[in-house]
Amino acid sequence: MVTEYCHRKHHSADLGDLCPDCQDLLDYAIDRLNHCPRHERRASCRKCVIHCYSPSYRESIRQVMACIGPRMIYLHPVMAVRHMIGEMRARH
Ligand SMILES: [Zn+2]
């Protein structure tokens, strides 16, 4: 998701090649995920982001999601569907 964002927004050479800012954000995201206490049963990544990202990274990841989120259904249909199921469960 971050790679896709970087490719579109920062014109990085190709997918998988991140600019330093996006690499930093991705490292942070992975680090948060590894340390998340609700890792096993967290309902959705958006919820998780809101709770455990520091404000500056939260803003960055929010921009990534705003840019790429709506496209996820086309780019990664399986991931998007899983995500929506997670969101629905979170409401009940
Ligand atoms: Zn970038």
Side-chain angles (χ1 to χ4, degrees):
M1 207 154 108
V2 177
T3 54
E4 179 72 23
Y5 172 78
C6 190
H7 184 57
R8 285 172 189 275
K9 280 281 179 180
H10 306 143
H11 309 290
S12 56
D14 63 330
L15 292 178
D17 191 17
L18 292 173
C19 73
D21 282 355
C22 291
Q23 184 62 59
D24 187 50
L25 179 65
L26 187 64
D27 286 348
Y28 182 80
I30 291 166
D31 191 57
R32 290 311 329 165
L33 200 64
N34 287 338
H35 291 94
C36 183
R38 295 175 300 156
H39 182 62
E40 291 300 326
R41 54 200 180 94
R42 78 199 156 82
S44 83
C45 44
R46 196 195 306 156
K47 240 184 176 167
C48 194
V49 163
I50 289 163
H51 284 110
C52 65
Y53 278 40
S54 70
S56 61
Y57 281 102
R58 201 184 297 164
E59 179 58 25
S60 305
I61 204 85
R62 200 187 61 75
Q63 282 175 17
V64 173
M65 286 186 179
C67 176
I68 294 302
R71 273 194 277 263
M72 260 177 72
I73 192 86
Y74 303 110
L75 294 170
H76 306 289
V78 176
M79 226 172 95
V81 168
R82 262 194 221 144
H83 190 84
M84 283 191 291
I85 291 167
E87 294 268 304
M88 280 176 344
R89 281 195 189 135
R91 286 198 197 103
H92 291 295

